[in-house]
Amino acid sequence: MKTHVITADPERYEESCLSGAADLLKAGELVAFPTETVYGLGADGTNDSAVKKIFEAKGRPQNNPLILHFSNVSECSEFAECDDRFYALADAFMPGPLTVVLPSKGICAPSVTAGLDSVAVRVPVHPVARSLIKACGKPIAAPSANLSGRPSPTTADHVIKDLDGKVGIIVDGGACTVGLESTIVKLDKDKATLLRPGGITLEMLKAVLGEVAVAPEVLSPPEPGAVPLSPGMLLKHYSPKAPLYLVRSEKHEKRAEFFRKSALCGENAVICFEGDAPASKNVFYLGTREDEAEHARRLFDLLRLADEGGAKRIYAPMPSGDGIGLALQNRMLRAAAFRIKDI
Ligand code: TXA
Ligand code: MG
């Protein structure tokens, strides 16, 4: 299949430039598109044979359900049982980087929910994503547009590297502004559970919902044989090809010294803060130490860059765990297959 790339600058695109992509979706084909979190690989969420093509293109296990993307909150209730807690969350954070898992009405294509009786719904805030969903006229089922197991794509270039020849159109809407996948919260009758941390932080969810449980697999490897609440939370995920080690220390200076020394060996790639180690082709900067939103934006790109340089091992700092730091910690622990280096 020949893959075409269409540019849609979020500041100045004309909606008509998306009509070819919308037609392709309506015809049951795949389109990769930008969102504020990461790029998505979309198909018409009501067309089961179209949705199946997503699993094939990504090499994704069939038992891992997909998120349904809507252009407006009001459309979600056709597909999911939306209660007051959902609408409170929607008022506060939608459109935006939040996904809510609700009881499914069983209307979407069966492959979207992978046999579960719940469905994940999200209204992205990226204008190009919303225009495309609106032009398609159906909710779009979309996972991240990477090959299964690779870091999620935050630019159209990342999508091209993973999916060239496997998708009809890639819509290039620039770099993603959040850079980590959406927060996922599951609403059961009597409780709310954070399944995946993201740009809408645990603190923000608690401000609306009160108590929010955190699924054990957010920060720990799943127990052997345990069924994770979210099937996508496998042990190894988002992973670069070279082994990644998360470097943890009480003292920032000690960690910076470790990075500086590690960078002297060309076989290592070092992902660190500005000022930790001098610039070099095997040193990749997350940004200044305090700016975790910037670390989130850059992380997946840096994991790919470190790999492309052919590193034998990659070192990166263990994130704080507060605010968006929890999402960073969750992704980086998985990318590192829970390898931590205490120094
Ligand atoms: O930011 C995002 O959420 C991006 C963009 C494209 O919207 N999408 C994304 O999709 O990250 P994906 O498929 O890479 O991750 C979705 C996660 C998976 O871990 C999946 O298991 C979980 O959501 N999920 C989907 N439906 C679910 C459900 N009904 N119950 C529990 N987990 C569900
Ligand atoms: Mg993914």
Side-chain angles (χ1 to χ4, degrees), residues 273-285:
F273 306 127
E274 277 154 27
D276 281 359
S280 161
K281 68 178 189 342
N282 61 340
V283 174
F284 303 91
Y285 296 117

Side-chain angles (χ1 to χ4, degrees), residues 58 60 143-144 146 152 181 196 237-238:
K58 278 185 61 110
R60 179 179 176 107
S144 48
N146 51 296
S152 291
E181 306 86 344
R196 181 174 74 182
H237 204 21
Y238 313 104

Side-chain angles (χ1 to χ4, degrees), residues 47-318:
N47 176 340
D48 205 53
S49 63
V51 174
K52 285 200 164 99
K53 292 178 187 169
I54 294 177
F55 290 87
E56 204 176 306
K58 278 185 61 110
R60 179 179 176 107
Q62 299 277 349
N63 65 353
N64 193 2
L66 306 176
I67 296 172
L68 266 190
H69 297 69
F70 296 85
S71 64
N72 267 298
V73 170
S74 60
E75 297 152 8
C76 300
S77 60
E78 194 186 325
F79 293 81
E81 305 281 357
C82 299
D83 64 4
D84 290 350
R85 294 170 304 166
F86 169 76
Y87 287 110
L89 286 172
D91 273 351
F93 308 123
M94 290 184 175
L98 177 67
T99 295
V100 185
V101 176
L102 297 162
S104 171
K105 288 191 171 172
I107 291 169
C108 61
S111 303
V112 171
T113 52
L116 298 177
D117 53 13
S118 59
V119 63
V121 302
R122 150 157 153 79
V123 182
V125 73
H126 197 295
V128 174
R130 293 182 79 191
S131 295
L132 181 64
I133 302 165
K134 211 152 129 206
C136 173
K138 298 278 174 52
I140 297 183
S144 48
N146 51 296
L147 289 176
S148 212
R150 297 270 295 141
S152 291
T154 53
T155 65
D157 268 354
H158 296 160
V159 182
I160 295 169
K161 287 210 174 93
D162 277 15
L163 295 177
D164 191 23
K166 295 184 166 182
V167 51
I169 292 181
I170 297 172
V171 182
D172 182 350
C176 301
T177 53
V178 178
L180 299 178
E181 306 86 344
S182 61
T183 302
I184 305 181
V185 63
K186 182 164 198 258
L187 298 181
D188 290 305
K189 239 192 220 116
D190 50 353
K191 68 169 182 176
T193 311
L194 177 70
L195 302 186
R196 181 174 74 182
I200 303 300
T201 63
L202 180 60
E203 294 82 351
M204 291 159 83
L205 293 175
K206 283 183 174 167
V208 172
L209 295 174
E211 210 174 314
V212 179
V214 177
E217 59 264 30
V218 167
L219 290 179
S220 325
E223 299 279 324
V227 181
L229 283 173
S230 185
M233 291 297 223
L234 304 170
L235 172 61
K236 197 159 178 286
H237 204 21
Y238 313 104
S239 45
K241 290 177 198 130
L244 168 68
Y245 297 84
L246 299 186
V247 183
R248 187 164 62 182
S249 172
E250 298 267 295
K251 291 221 162 56
H252 170 65
E253 294 73 21
K254 219 170 146 196
R255 190 165 63 181
E257 188 193 342
F258 176 86
F259 286 140
R260 204 163 42 245
K261 285 191 176 148
S262 301
L264 295 174
C265 169
E267 288 189 345
N268 297 333
V270 172
I271 295 176
C272 62
F273 306 127
E274 277 154 27
D276 281 359
S280 161
K281 68 178 189 342
N282 61 340
V283 174
F284 303 91
Y285 296 117
L286 284 160
T288 57
R289 182 148 53 101
E290 297 75 22
D291 190 356
E292 288 198 306
E294 183 64 18
H295 308 167
R297 266 190 292 280
R298 292 192 193 180
L299 176 68
F300 288 143
D301 186 44
L302 298 189
L303 290 177
R304 283 173 180 259
L305 287 173
D307 244 357
E308 282 162 15
K312 292 246 169 67
R313 63 196 78 76
I314 306 173
Y315 294 112
M318 179 79 169

